Amino acid sequence: MKRAAQFRPGKAARLVVKVGSSLLVAPDGQVRRSWLETLVADIAARHAAGQQVILVSSGAIALGSRRLGLAKGGRSSLEDAQAAAATGQILLAGLWAELLGQHAITAAQMLVTLGDFEDRRRFLNASATLDRLLQLGVVPILNENDSVATEEIRFGDNDRLAARAAQAGSAQALILLSDIDGLYTANPAHDPTASFIDTVPDIAAIAHMASAESASGMGSGGMAAKVEAARIAHAAGIPVAIVAGQPDHPLAAFDASGHGTIFTAADPKRARKAWLAGRMQVVGQLHVDAGAASALGSGKSLLAAGVVRVEGDFRRGDAVDVLGPDGRAIARGLVGYDAGEAHAIAGKRSDAIAAILGYAPRSAVLHRDQLVML
Ligand code: GLU
């Protein structure tokens, strides 16, 4: 089937799975543990098959409000939501760690705020941490740091957070497990003529269709947030599927049936490059030797040893151009060091760098995930 070829989460080396509050927590505030065990079994199967999985899990506010006995699911004031999140997050993380641990998988918790993905330096930090965790065979579990994030700087929903996590984690697919099986032309709860949308090749055409209401009333996402998440992911060339999360083994069920709404991404590699290039205003140059130039050409990161000269006044996370021995720009990316540091370590081998900097060095001056060849 053509559509299946456009979204093959099984083939993605890195996959982000977002789990909503209403899937994890029943209306009475109890964890849906036996369902969660089936999802964890699906994740363990993918992990065993060599796929790297990043989880974005909601549910902190829902769990915490139950523990604290707060009205309206902890959402009647920001203070309540923040107290509920602080209380629920520790339960949520413990739950994932326990259930993944039963499959001998180590879980790691990352609590992030909007700024962690918007600010270039922090984006690089989050990205590098995700990369390292995945290399170590760990399943990172992300949620918004709701207990400190203030209203103006919050994601507020984990759908968009998951899309940003997919960008930061250089993932090839994003699955939003939802309380509904996908996108409809109208809200099917109110409109009997609503019809199911199987594939969305043009995100701009459907933006008006999604309602901000969450079917369960428990999460804060709703379809509008999911469409917005798909738009963010689309910009970076990452296909997205909105899939029914309620059934047991939801990932395996989706693999078997293919039922869900798929937002295709045209030419993922080019889109990711355009996305990276589009967020950059170049403020420096790194001149590299022929060896480094050819390493970059074959998809490797740029190491300090290959840098012969550094120009410009930049900070970690700023955009720089890489110039080959003939002075032509060959690549552009988000630099891993401030200009002064880059200067100090240029031409130095990795084992000498720690002594020069006085701290444990980054793995590269320009990481391969953060650069585009020109
Ligand atoms: N971060 C919130 C929580 O863990 C959920 C946000 C959402 O509903 O998408 O409770």
Side-chain angles (χ1 to χ4, degrees):
M1 180 166 77
K2 189 158 169 280
R3 175 176 170 276
Q6 289 167 335
F7 189 84
R8 283 193 287 187
K11 298 272 185 249
R14 279 188 187 171
L15 171 69
V16 177
V17 179
K18 183 257 172 178
V19 189
S21 300
S22 64
L23 299 175
L24 272 151
V25 186
D28 67 357
Q30 299 286 355
V31 172
R32 295 179 65 227
R33 194 181 167 99
S34 61
W35 170 83
L36 190 55
E37 283 170 350
T38 71
L39 170 61
V40 169
D42 286 358
I43 293 165
R46 290 179 176 278
H47 193 262
Q51 195 169 36
Q52 296 179 328
V53 181
I54 298 169
L55 277 166
V56 175
S57 175
S58 305
I61 295 173
L63 280 177
S65 67
R66 150 104 184 169
R67 175 64 69 96
L68 297 173
L70 296 172
K72 291 192 183 160
R75 292 181 191 260
S76 53
S77 69
L78 184 59
E79 290 83 352
D80 270 11
Q82 295 193 305
T87 307
Q89 183 59 37
I90 199 164
L91 303 171
L92 186 63
L95 189 64
W96 283 112
E98 180 200 338
L99 296 183
L100 286 163
Q102 288 172 1
H103 295 268
I105 297 172
T106 303
Q109 173 181 258
M110 284 176 69
L111 296 180
V112 293
T113 52
L114 187 68
D116 294 324
F117 291 130
E118 300 291 326
D119 174 270
R120 281 182 186 154
R121 315 179 74 193
R122 283 150 70 192
F123 175 88
L124 272 195
N125 287 356
S127 181
T129 306
L130 280 170
D131 191 49
R132 187 68 187 126
L133 287 168
L134 293 167
Q135 275 173 18
L136 291 166
V138 171
V139 172
I141 313 218
L142 275 67
N143 195 0
E144 184 155 23
N145 197 353
D146 289 309
S147 57
V148 295
T150 57
E151 205 66 82
E152 323 78 74
I153 53 149
R154 283 182 83 212
F155 279 107
D157 65 81
N158 275 357
D159 299 305
R160 287 179 304 144
L161 187 151
R164 290 284 184 216
Q167 290 175 337
S170 307
Q172 292 85 25
L174 166 61
I175 296 181
L176 302 172
L177 292 179
S178 170
D179 50 11
I180 186 161
D181 57 348
L183 189 67
Y184 286 76
T185 51
N187 187 337
H190 307 315
D191 186 344
T193 66
S195 64
F196 184 73
I197 301 173
D198 189 68
T199 310
V200 181
D202 176 11
I203 184 115
I206 52 89
H208 62 284
M209 286 179 190
S211 128
E213 234 175 288
S214 152
S216 66
M218 201 180 311
S220 47
M223 266 306 146
K226 289 178 177 56
V227 170
E228 180 57 17
R231 202 188 53 74
I232 293 167
H234 184 84
I238 303 166
V240 177
I242 302 174
V243 170
Q246 294 284 357
D248 284 351
H249 293 286
L251 295 179
F254 174 55
D255 272 353
S257 72
H259 182 69
T261 297
I262 291 175
F263 297 78
T264 58
D267 198 349
K269 273 200 183 125
R270 265 184 51 192
R272 181 164 172 82
K273 285 187 173 193
W275 172 71
L276 258 181
R279 59 202 297 273
M280 300 178 187
Q281 214 184 353
V282 179
V283 289
Q285 282 84 34
L286 304 174
H287 295 261
V288 303
D289 62 22
S294 92
L296 282 168
S298 58
K300 300 220 168 69
S301 298
L302 174 64
L303 304 182
V307 178
V308 293
R309 194 152 58 84
V310 176
E311 283 179 85
D313 183 18
F314 51 81
R315 305 201 63 195
R316 171 171 162 76
D318 282 343
V320 296
D321 274 344
V322 179
L323 278 59
D326 61 0
R328 281 195 313 132
I330 54 172
R332 178 174 293 178
L334 304 181
V335 68
Y337 287 99
D338 294 347
E341 295 168 321
H343 212 77
I345 63 173
K348 300 291 190 298
R349 301 193 58 84
S350 300
D351 47 10
I353 291 175
I356 296 169
L357 295 175
Y359 63 83
R362 316 266 178 199
S363 61
V365 175
L366 259 186
H367 191 275
R368 61 187 152 81
D369 284 348
Q370 313 299 345
L371 64 86
V372 296
M373 296 305 290
L374 298 174

